[in-house]
Amino acid sequence: MSETKSILGSSPLRKEGRPKVLGAAQYIDDLTLPGMWHGATVRSTIARGTIRSITFAPHINWSEYAIVRASDIPGENAIVHLPKDHPCLAAREINHVAEPILLLAHPEKSALLAAKAAIHIDYDELPGIFNIEASEAAVAAFINDPNDTDNIIWPGSSEGGTPNCFKNYQMYTGEAAPTESALVEAFEAADFIVEGEYTTGAQEQLYIEPNGVIAECDLDPVTGHVRGVTVRGSMQCPYYLVHALTLVFNLPEEKCRVIQVETGGAFGGKEDFPSVIGSHAALLAMKSGHPVKIIYDRGEDMAATTKRHPSRTRLRTAVSRDGKLLGGTIDVAIDGGAYATLSPVVLSRATIHAPGPYKWPHLRVRSKAMATNIPPHGAFRGFGAPQSLFALERHMDKIAYTIGFTPEEFRRRNFLSTGDHTATGQPLVEPVDMHHLLTRALADSGYHAKRAAFAESNQHSRIKRGVGFAAFMHGTGFTGSGERRLNSLVHLDILADGRPQVLVSSTEFGQGTNTILCQVAAEALHLPYDDILIHEVDTAAVPNSGPTVASRTAMIVGKLVERAANEVLATLRTQAALPTPHTREQFIAAAQRHHAQQGFLRASVRYEPPAKIFWDDDLYRGDAYPGYAWAVYVAEVAVDLNTYQVQVTRFDALQEVGRVLHPILAKGQIEGGIAQGIGYALYEKCVYKDGHLMNNQMTNYIMPTSADLPDIHVTFEEVPSLHGPGGAKGIGELPMDGPAPAILNAIENATGIGFNSIPLLPEDVYERLTSLTARPHGGAEDLNPVVDQATRTESPEVNA
Amino acid sequence: MTTIKLTINNTPATLSVSPIKRLLDVLRDDLHLTGTKEGCGEGECGACAILMNGELVNSCLIPALQADNATLTTIEGLANATHLHPIQQCFLEQGGAQCGICTPGMILATHHLLAQYPNPTDAQIREGLAGNLCRCTGYMRIFESVRQAAAKSLLPNH
Amino acid sequence: MHSDPTQFALIAPATLSEALALLSNGRHTPIAGGTELMVALAAGRLQQKSLVSINHLPELRFIQTTPTAITLGANTTFTDIRRNPTIAAELPLLTLAASWTGSIANQNRATLGGNICNASPAADTPPALLVYDAAVTLISANPETRELVERTFPYAEFHLAYKRTLLHPGELLHSVTIPLPTPAHHHFIRKVGTRNAQAISKTALAAIATVGDHHTLTEVRLAAASLADRPVRLYTTEAALLNASLAAADITTTVLRARAALASESCPIDDIRSTAAYRTAVAANLLEQFLRTLPA
């Protein structure tokens, strides 16, 4: 074995990097199949109602077109999810703007424009429900009078959910009844009760490559029946699309083939949506008898596809004079949009992350996902955690100021440490040192010196500067029993020339999947990185290693690759006389020997849950995640009182993510996530009017440019985890969680005003400052009075 | 239809196209140069950026007729048969490309920037690339790629 | 792409006089750098089906300097403006305005003429041109005689209403002439957009002024973007400020009077990018910032 430096922890060139910098990488819109047609989608222009009639103007020769309606679907008219509430095409009822109704295909793309314009749809329109509060009000009216179903827009389902509510959870730090009693006592004993309400907006993933697919359909020439379908496209989770196709076409899994092509960004936005566009293109391929390409343009992609769930989180906390959390209740509500889709899973992550990295003696988290007449909200990096962690980390600052502690000291008195139990009762077996992370992050960022300097300089300047931080964690992999159910499988093949090839369904969409999995294999096999191949993600060839989501690829799939590599080594050692240690040449010789004597060598490895991990779905207690990444982020801001604009002037991000597999990719992941987090906090607003997204263009949906972002300083603490390859944990979503609360905490430090809603635009800062100068006020908490038990000035109870 | 002549990546071409057809579509559909990408179709994202007579332009906003007699460079025209262009090499080494969809436009914007400022300040880099949106990197690895490319280009004998 | 290119005509006449002759029937629309009309084409909202490209005409792309004025041809790009050292020295507000328009790629294509004739109330160069007392020269060809007709107006009279200008059908903006300010003039401009680059103005304020011996404003010209349905000179505010004192004892009164005057003539709108209240308040803050930076 050559004693070279470890491949893990080095930064080899991205596997598919060369074609990307050459412009040679082939994305879906760069591909053309022989005889290919182009597809388009006819969508609803109302948010809620029923289709009365559809008319096709006679000036178009409709025989040239393939036209698909709901009645043409050979299988079920549903996009695969537990409650089959989400139609592939609307047949009669409309539940959101831009809901697909008809599909068109034609050999000439430009011919679709006139055809779309020549289809007229009449509706019987109903008033829509456009936010959480309206949806709750409808439920209240319905409870009051069971005949009042006018605004019940989602009926409930046998798979769970109640009218207008897709899912709800209750999570306690112990048994429900005793915890409720303990909470009553905690609030009675508290020196301070601090309450707060925090809201977050929808956010567009804004991958630069819009959604797109090409579908082919294999038709029986005699019967015309569909024998199989193949869909290529830009996506994260090919097997999700396989399952969607099996339902829509009533075909077995092996007849539904999905191939991921180079994918131009995803961030969750191509997790479940490809099931929709992929099914649509396959239906058009069936109807036309030709391959059909559908590429959304930016406006359609933004108007019709998923966004991050808007949220409202209410916290009520009992705190002692010496800075201890005694108990709390957290109520999280998210806006799920018109259909259940992934909302129950997003809500789950929001619920479990709501308590943050703190010890709660007694805590109740209640959460719910409400239905609205907005296009379904879906996956976006962080997946519920950014919402509830924004609320928590703003609230921690609020408590600190209320009880007279610094944000730092108050958190230090409540941090979880090694050996403690999380709010779900999970013992923290692996080392956790939030104190050290906080100390280092504050030192690296110059936090204390800045706080002092800004307090001085702010007195004489229209530009108010401040620093703030957020402390948080993100669970790696699927929640609870999720990984057990996924039952992921990977293959590692040894090809005839002796080169290893990784086969997984884990996709590359910029994060570095190809590169890190090849690094893991190279490290375990003691081979050079360049020797490792990774197979194209084609479900006809690769096994289901689970979806590429939930920060699970490095830790969960990486570990499977590592185990497969070890199996290959063991086989070659016992069956092909591979020496220990070995050189590259010895490995190739042994592999070729094995191939000649015993044929093809494949190691197949399946997920095995760590023996000690247990999760109870009913009680919502147990080991929520196999591992957590921990972090402290520090934001520095400048608030210009002439323009009310907030500029992030520096950002420091320290995280403990286990072993860092590839420092350049890891930094790129963190920096990219922080950029999205800064956008989430200060720039990116989805403006809706009657359920229509009004700013579905890059000109009016404002994401940060290179001129808007501060220097981002990324550092890591490396504490190897038992669960990941070489000690790695997941990092993909973590950086989305911290920026928004850190920035708003910094704004409070700069201005003395606590803002609790994002996105926070200059207009919001202006409105708040004007309302403060118009009336007498008490500074930071003027609009959010707290209860001080000592003085007995109760604030009105916040409605749950 | 109208006939236009242009030089594309050092090769002359004569095309018969609708005069208002977007240059982006001419490149992708007629010349089969798919390295130039469409991200927004309104000149906002820079994924379709190319060099026209040496100047950076968004090809989605140029009617084909206005490219008549122009000299164009797309991402396909930077590398030679054996070597990446130094800017491409630096993007590859420094993590300047993640998903890769903004990369062609970003590399051409860098080319244009370094032609004007061979040793750019951070502010010049930020301004020079502000018309090229990247959703993956947060731009930091891209800035580093540009700095490295500038350093490489400043080396003697390059 | 929401338009079918085959449904549009576009021709590129060889000379300016040919272009004017073509345009003289009033049925063609000129297209220069395309950064506005091509967006409309892609969005499927380009109503004009017959276009005349003027982008390549050298007769319209020039920057001419005399001892008293600078004249810019309509085809002058934002990059041309930014790279011109005389403009940077004499008309710094124009250089700055050009530098924050769109992106570098768009600055390489977009023209001064297009920016003015597109007549957006949020456009970047109009506030600078207004405070510099620019004049616009319009040209056309008589439809019968083909004779060249030329008109020159103060730019302040060019914008009639939302997206309506003095231009007649068939008429082109030929050039913009800007008298050189004196060395005694103080220049100020600030744009407040949706972000630091690639942004459309929520509001912008340009100002130039001279300060006399007794700390009084002896001359002041102010203009703004996005405070009305068109780019506007702020005449009421100017009148309130003329001869006002900047002395330490008076500055607060002067600022208050200026802010009140500005509020009285500001009539912005709520739209997708901002609110009317914010626009007015920020413009007033920018005005105050300008006044407080003048030498007292």
Side-chain angles (χ1 to χ4, degrees):
Chain A
M1 173 182 171
S2 51
E3 280 305 315
T4 48
K5 144 171 176 290
S6 168
I7 295 163
L8 297 183
S10 70
S11 292
L13 297 183
R14 175 182 280 280
K15 271 282 166 187
E16 77 295 349
R18 196 178 167 87
K20 281 179 173 172
V21 299
L22 282 166
Q26 299 270 293
Y27 299 80
I28 191 67
D29 200 21
D30 303 336
L31 302 174
T32 303
L33 297 186
M36 188 179 81
W37 288 24
H38 297 272
T41 314
V42 178
R43 301 177 179 281
S44 64
T45 53
I46 65 161
R48 185 182 169 212
T50 50
I51 298 168
R52 199 187 312 137
S53 65
I54 301 178
T55 45
F56 293 78
H59 65 273
I60 301 283
N61 180 5
W62 293 104
S63 67
E64 290 177 1
Y65 294 79
I67 303 173
V68 172
R69 3 174 154 230
S71 55
D72 294 312
I73 294 172
E76 284 191 63
N77 182 14
I79 300 299
V80 69
H81 280 292
L82 272 182
K84 291 177 181 169
D85 61 332
H86 185 193
C88 183
L89 291 171
R92 183 167 171 275
E93 284 186 14
I94 298 299
N95 286 303
H96 64 82
V97 167
E99 185 155 10
I101 297 170
L102 296 173
L103 304 168
L104 302 176
H106 191 276
E108 295 300 323
K109 197 172 182 183
S110 58
L112 294 165
L113 291 168
K116 276 179 80 172
I119 294 172
H120 184 77
I121 304 177
D122 273 320
Y123 304 94
D124 289 316
E125 198 170 348
L126 290 167
I129 297 289
F130 299 124
N131 54 47
I132 293 168
E133 288 70 26
S135 192
E136 287 173 330
V139 174
F142 171 71
I143 289 170
N144 186 44
D145 172 6
N147 294 319
D148 188 354
T149 57
D150 288 357
N151 290 316
I152 297 301
I153 57 170
W154 193 79
S157 140
S158 55
E159 303 294 335
T162 53
N164 279 12
C165 180
F166 298 124
K167 183 76 184 174
N168 67 295
Y169 296 103
Q170 290 213 44
M171 185 177 100
Y172 285 98
T173 41
E175 296 281 319
T179 305
E180 287 287 2
S181 313
L183 281 170
V184 171
E185 285 168 28
F187 279 98
E188 273 171 13
D191 297 311
F192 297 90
I193 296 172
V194 185
E195 296 174 348
E197 179 176 306
Y198 308 86
T199 62
T200 65
Q203 186 185 21
E204 163 62 31
Q205 294 89 356
L206 216 72
Y207 30 70
I208 305 294
E209 178 209 34
N211 272 287
V213 294
I214 301 173
E216 298 168 89
C217 190
D218 175 20
L219 294 168
D220 185 316
V222 181
T223 64
H225 286 154
V226 178
R227 293 192 296 205
V229 290
T230 300
V231 181
R232 288 171 175 78
S234 178
M235 69 187 79
Q236 292 175 243
C237 310
Y239 275 97
Y240 280 9
L241 178 51
V242 167
H243 296 146
L245 294 168
T246 61
L247 191 69
V248 166
F249 285 91
N250 192 24
L251 285 172
E253 212 174 294
E254 63 275 14
K255 296 294 181 190
C256 300
R257 178 181 177 193
V258 175
I259 303 165
Q260 184 233 7
V261 302
E262 204 69 72
T263 295
F267 317 113
K270 295 171 184 171
E271 175 172 345
D272 62 326
F273 194 81
S275 297
V276 178
I277 186 174
S279 298
H280 287 173
L283 288 166
L284 282 170
M286 170 193 81
K287 200 70 186 274
S288 66
H290 289 266
V292 173
K293 177 193 268 191
I294 302 181
I295 305 287
Y296 290 166
D297 68 14
R298 181 60 55 186
E300 182 174 21
D301 193 291
M302 290 187 73
T305 77
T306 62
K307 317 230 170 317
R308 185 187 302 287
H309 290 71
S311 77
R312 181 199 66 208
T313 300
R314 291 169 175 158
L315 287 104
R316 187 159 190 265
T317 42
V319 190
S320 70
R321 219 172 275 288
D322 63 350
K324 284 279 174 58
L325 285 169
L326 303 176
T329 61
I330 305 177
D331 289 276
V332 183
I334 64 172
D335 171 353
Y339 299 109
T341 66
L342 293 169
S343 288
V345 206
V346 170
L347 186 67
S348 162
R349 197 170 273 269
T351 306
I352 293 171
H353 284 75
Y358 303 106
K359 276 184 283 201
W360 293 87
H362 309 288
L363 177 71
R364 180 191 70 213
V365 184
R366 283 192 305 215
S367 60
K368 58 188 178 184
M370 301 303 293
T372 61
N373 295 115
I374 299 284
H377 293 300
F380 189 170
R381 193 180 209 160
F383 209 72
Q387 289 94 321
S388 55
L389 283 168
F390 169 73
L392 178 75
E393 281 300 286
R394 279 295 298 134
H395 194 69
M396 296 305 278
D397 264 30
K398 178 169 181 170
I399 298 174
Y401 292 132
T402 304
I403 69 173
F405 277 61
T406 64
E408 177 189 1
E409 187 52 35
F410 174 63
R411 284 177 177 80
R412 285 191 187 280
R413 299 209 177 191
N414 295 282
F415 273 145
L416 286 169
S417 314
T418 313
D420 286 339
H421 287 72
T422 68
T424 64
Q426 175 171 6
L428 293 172
V429 178
E430 298 199 310
V432 184
D433 194 347
M434 289 303 293
H435 288 279
H436 171 67
L437 286 182
L438 182 56
T439 303
R440 182 177 162 195
L442 298 186
D444 288 354
S445 61
Y447 172 87
H448 290 293
K450 281 177 187 164
R451 251 174 126 88
F454 295 158
E456 173 60 29
S457 64
N458 283 345
Q459 293 174 16
H460 320 289
S461 177
R462 294 280 287 167
I463 296 181
K464 307 293 183 194
R465 297 181 186 275
V467 277
F469 69 91
F472 57 101
M473 78 300 177
H474 198 95
T476 283
F478 262 41
T479 303
S481 44
E483 289 296 341
R484 207 185 302 251
R485 281 197 295 266
L486 280 178
N487 201 19
S488 297
L489 182 65
V490 310
H491 299 325
L492 183 64
D493 289 354
I494 303 301
L495 306 182
D497 65 358
R499 295 183 72 179
Q501 183 174 45
V502 177
L503 290 94
V504 291
S505 65
S506 307
T507 48
E508 171 67 56
F509 40 90
Q511 356 73 298
T513 298
N514 291 345
T515 305
I516 59 160
L517 293 181
C518 289
Q519 278 181 280
V520 168
E523 177 93 0
L525 294 168
H526 307 297
L527 289 174
Y529 165 78
D530 287 339
D531 278 1
I532 314 295
L533 304 171
I534 187 157
H535 197 286
E536 173 189 43
V537 180
D538 173 349
T539 60
V542 301
N544 190 348
S545 60
T548 308
V549 303
S551 310
R552 64 184 294 278
T553 301
M555 184 165 180
I556 307 286
V557 183
K559 191 73 182 176
L560 297 180
V561 170
E562 186 183 75
R563 281 175 46 208
N566 288 334
E567 239 177 60
V568 163
L569 283 186
T571 305
L572 291 179
R573 281 176 185 145
T574 53
Q575 299 180 13
L578 176 69
T580 310
H582 63 263
T583 63
R584 172 175 187 263
E585 289 66 32
Q586 289 167 328
F587 181 92
I588 292 169
Q592 288 173 343
R593 207 152 47 233
H594 186 278
H595 210 272
Q597 293 165 1
Q598 330 223 4
F600 182 67
L601 174 56
R602 162 173 287 181
S604 292
V605 170
R606 213 173 254 295
Y607 178 76
E608 285 168 11
K612 286 186 175 165
I613 291 221
F614 179 75
W615 176 256
D616 186 326
D617 271 323
D618 296 324
L619 289 178
Y620 233 63
R621 287 193 58 70
D623 300 316
Y625 300 100
Y628 294 87
W630 308 89
V632 175
Y633 284 5
V634 186
E636 179 192 309
V637 302
V639 184
D640 184 338
L641 295 189
N642 282 328
T643 64
Y644 314 102
Q645 290 171 311
V646 180
Q647 189 76 40
V648 181
T649 48
R650 178 182 163 119
F651 203 94
D652 286 85
L654 171 64
Q655 42 259 305
E656 191 275 279
V657 296
R659 177 85 174 276
V660 175
L661 296 177
H662 188 300
I664 285 183
L665 288 183
K667 279 194 173 186
Q669 278 295 289
I670 302 296
E671 290 158 355
I674 288 168
Q676 292 176 354
I678 291 172
Y680 188 41
L682 296 176
Y683 296 91
E684 299 179 28
K685 181 171 187 169
C686 291
V687 181
Y688 289 100
K689 189 179 174 205
D690 300 330
H692 293 258
L693 181 68
M694 302 306 288
N695 55 338
N696 59 332
Q697 302 164 275
M698 283 188 165
T699 311
N700 288 325
Y701 182 87
I702 306 300
M703 71 162 265
T705 71
S706 58
D708 295 289
L709 293 172
D711 284 339
I712 300 171
H713 301 261
V714 175
T715 44
F716 297 98
E717 286 282 331
E718 297 192 56
V719 182
S721 162
L722 287 172
H723 299 286
K729 296 192 281 199
I731 65 167
E733 296 173 287
L734 177 80
M736 192 72 223
D737 297 341
I743 290 165
L744 269 75
N745 288 345
I747 294 171
E748 182 163 5
N749 176 235
T751 62
I753 300 168
F755 290 94
N756 295 330
S757 288
I758 51 169
L760 179 69
L761 299 185
E763 288 76 8
D764 305 315
V765 176
Y766 162 72
E767 287 295 334
R768 182 70 176 274
L769 281 171
T770 322
S771 75
L772 290 182
T773 35
R775 289 182 267 118
H777 63 91
E781 301 300 336
D782 69 298
L783 297 181
N784 281 306
V786 295
V787 186
D788 184 336
Q789 299 273 90
T791 53
R792 290 280 159 200
T793 53
E794 294 267 341
S795 72
E797 177 76 22
V798 178
N799 295 322
Chain B
M1 299 292 252
T2 192
T3 300
I4 61 166
K5 288 184 179 168
L6 41 79
T7 303
I8 172 78
N9 299 330
N10 296 319
T11 307
T14 303
L15 300 161
S16 180
V17 293
S18 293
I20 207 168
K21 186 170 185 176
R22 303 183 301 173
L23 183 55
L24 168 66
D25 299 324
V26 174
L27 292 171
R28 291 178 57 85
D29 302 345
D30 298 77
L31 294 164
H32 308 293
L33 294 169
T34 56
T36 305
K37 308 298 182 188
E38 175 166 359
C40 70
E42 55 179 5
E44 197 74 18
C45 75
C48 68
I50 63 165
L51 300 176
M52 178 158 137
N53 302 325
E55 298 282 16
L56 188 74
V57 297
N58 288 323
S59 62
C60 75
L61 297 185
I62 296 183
L65 184 64
Q66 290 189 349
D68 195 16
N69 297 315
T71 298
L72 308 180
T73 304
T74 67
I75 189 66
E76 290 90 346
L78 286 194
N80 63 33
T82 53
H83 285 89
L84 296 179
H85 186 281
I87 298 173
Q88 292 172 314
Q89 185 67 34
C90 291
F91 269 71
L92 179 59
E93 289 170 4
Q94 299 300 325
Q98 287 192 19
C99 84
I101 198 82
C102 77
T103 307
M106 198 67 82
I107 284 174
L108 289 163
T110 303
H111 194 284
H112 184 256
L113 170 76
L114 295 182
Q116 206 182 351
Y117 305 108
N119 190 19
T121 63
D122 282 2
Q124 285 163 340
I125 295 174
R126 285 172 177 279
E127 190 201 353
L129 303 183
N132 296 78
L133 298 179
C134 170
R135 192 58 157 171
C136 292
T137 61
Y139 307 106
M140 299 299 130
R141 302 292 100 206
I142 291 173
F143 297 162
E144 194 53 36
S145 306
V146 176
R147 286 185 207 111
Q148 295 286 333
K152 243 186 209 185
S153 309
L154 289 174
L155 288 177
N157 305 323
H158 172 72
Chain C
M1 178 68 176
H2 291 272
S3 294
D4 177 359
T6 63
Q7 303 303 304
F8 294 82
L10 171 65
I11 38 178
T15 64
L16 177 60
S17 52
E18 280 178 45
L20 291 172
L22 265 170
L23 289 163
S24 66
N25 66 16
R27 288 198 289 270
H28 303 280
T29 300
I31 175 171
T35 54
E36 193 68 36
L37 294 185
M38 290 300 284
V39 175
L41 176 84
R45 53 179 166 77
L46 183 59
Q47 304 301 322
Q48 303 90 334
K49 298 289 187 243
S50 181
L51 297 103
V52 173
S53 178
I54 57 167
N55 194 51
H56 57 291
L57 298 174
E59 300 96 317
L60 295 177
R61 189 169 179 180
F62 61 88
I63 298 173
Q64 202 176 66
T65 310
T66 71
T68 56
I70 296 178
T71 300
L72 301 94
N75 274 357
T76 304
T77 67
F78 286 86
T79 299
D80 294 341
I81 293 173
R82 290 189 71 183
R83 288 179 184 167
N84 186 292
T86 313
I87 295 177
E90 302 290 339
L91 307 170
L93 304 187
L94 188 59
T95 303
L96 279 169
S99 76
W100 60 47
T101 300
S103 61
I104 300 288
N106 290 336
Q107 288 169 14
N108 285 337
R109 295 283 301 169
T111 65
L112 181 66
N115 198 231
I116 295 172
C117 296
N118 181 52
S120 163
D124 286 318
T125 57
L129 298 175
L130 286 168
V131 297
Y132 283 142
D133 259 346
V136 288
T137 299
L138 316 179
I139 47 168
S140 56
N142 182 304
E144 279 87 45
T145 64
R146 298 266 171 121
E147 194 186 344
L148 192 73
V149 183
E150 194 177 290
R151 312 190 287 158
T152 297
F153 290 89
Y155 175 55
E157 295 173 16
F158 183 72
H159 295 287
L160 302 175
Y162 178 71
K163 292 258 181 184
R164 279 190 50 223
T165 70
L166 276 176
L167 279 173
H168 295 148
E171 200 170 30
L172 277 184
L173 177 73
H174 173 270
S175 58
V176 178
T177 300
I178 307 169
L180 298 184
T182 69
H185 277 102
H186 299 276
H187 305 243
F188 173 91
I189 194 164
R190 189 162 177 196
K191 167 178 173 173
V192 178
T194 48
R195 59 187 165 201
N196 288 343
Q198 285 263 77
I200 297 174
S201 268
K202 292 177 176 179
T203 189
L205 184 83
I208 76 168
T210 52
V211 181
D213 294 338
H214 305 289
H215 312 298
T216 56
L217 280 163
T218 43
E219 187 187 357
V220 58
R221 293 199 293 271
L222 304 166
S226 298
L227 281 196
D229 60 358
R230 70 200 94 158
V232 281
R233 269 283 289 275
L234 302 170
Y235 293 113
T236 306
T237 313
E238 290 174 10
L241 279 170
L242 191 62
N243 298 321
S245 169
L246 300 169
D250 305 319
I251 184 73
T252 303
T253 315
T254 298
V255 162
L256 282 176
R257 202 190 312 152
R259 292 185 69 110
L262 179 68
S264 76
E265 67 178 326
S266 169
C267 47
I269 56 164
D270 288 341
D271 68 7
I272 203 162
R273 282 182 283 277
S274 192
T275 64
Y278 173 86
R279 290 179 155 119
T280 298
V282 169
N285 290 349
L286 299 186
L287 177 60
E288 178 170 345
Q289 189 186 1
F290 165 60
L291 293 172
R292 289 189 185 277
T293 50
L294 288 172

